[in-house]
């Protein structure tokens, strides 16, 4: 009688353990798939031609999937001339439709870089763009 009771207990325990582990695995796969954040896409926009001492608008267009991000925690623009250690850090202002911008001037002709530092929805993205002020040499 004891052997039979022990056998029933082992079989019942095995069935319960198998059923529980199957459900847990399915939940984990679903939660991992749904909790993966969609990355931020940041596109830096500048005028095609920039002249020294000309007021210029630098923009970052921020999207997540097909959604325009209007609630970024922080958008900053780091700008510097090639070969110089001094970098300007300017805070972007939200305009509309995921567009953040700053106004700035470039004193000298030459090759420059801009990095937009964007933090939104727990994600950070910092693309870099190279551009020229005046004619490329």
């Amino acid at each position: 009688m004891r052997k039979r009771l022990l056998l029933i207990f082992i079989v019942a325990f095995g069935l319960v353990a198998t059923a529980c582990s199957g459900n847990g695995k399915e939940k984990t796969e679903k939660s991992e798939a749904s909790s993966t954040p969609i990355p931020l896409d940041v596109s830096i926009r500048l005028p095609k031609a920039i002249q020294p001492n000309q007021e210029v608008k630098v923009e970052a267009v921020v999207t997540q999937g097909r959604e325009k991000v209007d609630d970024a925690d922080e958008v900053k623009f780091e700008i510097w001339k090639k070969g110089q250690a001094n970098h300007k850090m300017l805070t972007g202002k939200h305009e509309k439709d995921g567009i953040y911008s700053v106004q700035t001037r470039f004193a000298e002709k030459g090759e420059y870089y801009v990095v937009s530092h964007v933090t939104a929805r727990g994600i950070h993205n910092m693309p870099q763009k190279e551009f020229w002020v005046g004619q490329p040499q």
Side-chain angles (χ1 to χ4, degrees):
M1 179 74 173
R2 279 186 166 180
K3 287 183 181 181
R4 185 178 263 172
L5 196 58
L6 182 60
L7 182 60
I8 292 171
F9 178 77
I10 291 173
V11 170
F13 181 78
L15 289 173
V16 169
T18 302
C20 289
S21 69
N23 287 339
K25 185 176 181 182
E26 291 171 6
K27 285 183 181 178
T28 301
E29 290 172 358
K30 288 179 185 174
S31 65
E32 287 176 1
S34 65
S35 69
T36 303
I38 299 170
L40 287 178
D41 182 41
V42 180
S43 176
I44 300 171
R45 295 194 306 202
L46 293 157
K48 289 183 181 183
I50 302 171
Q51 297 304 318
N53 295 312
Q54 171 189 4
E55 185 84 3
V56 175
K57 182 188 245 185
V58 181
E59 296 178 325
V61 182
V62 184
T63 56
Q64 189 176 34
R66 294 182 180 184
E67 182 182 357
K68 295 171 181 158
V69 176
D70 291 327
D71 60 349
D73 299 318
E74 182 177 70
V75 177
K76 291 191 173 187
F77 294 90
E78 181 180 5
I79 302 171
W80 71 97
K81 187 175 181 186
K82 183 177 182 178
Q84 292 184 345
N86 187 21
H87 295 199
K88 286 195 288 188
M89 188 68 83
L90 306 170
T91 301
K93 294 182 182 178
H94 180 250
E95 289 184 18
K96 62 178 180 172
D97 298 329
I99 298 172
Y100 298 81
S101 68
V102 293
Q103 296 282 340
T104 191
R105 292 177 186 268
F106 302 96
E108 304 173 354
K109 291 182 179 182
E111 187 176 3
Y112 286 79
Y113 299 95
V114 60
V115 174
S116 64
H117 298 266
V118 178
T119 304
R121 302 174 181 175
I123 303 169
H124 187 75
N125 191 342
M126 44 188 282
Q128 178 175 313
K129 188 168 191 170
E130 179 181 342
F131 63 99
W132 281 88
V133 173
Q135 296 296 323
Q137 298 175 5

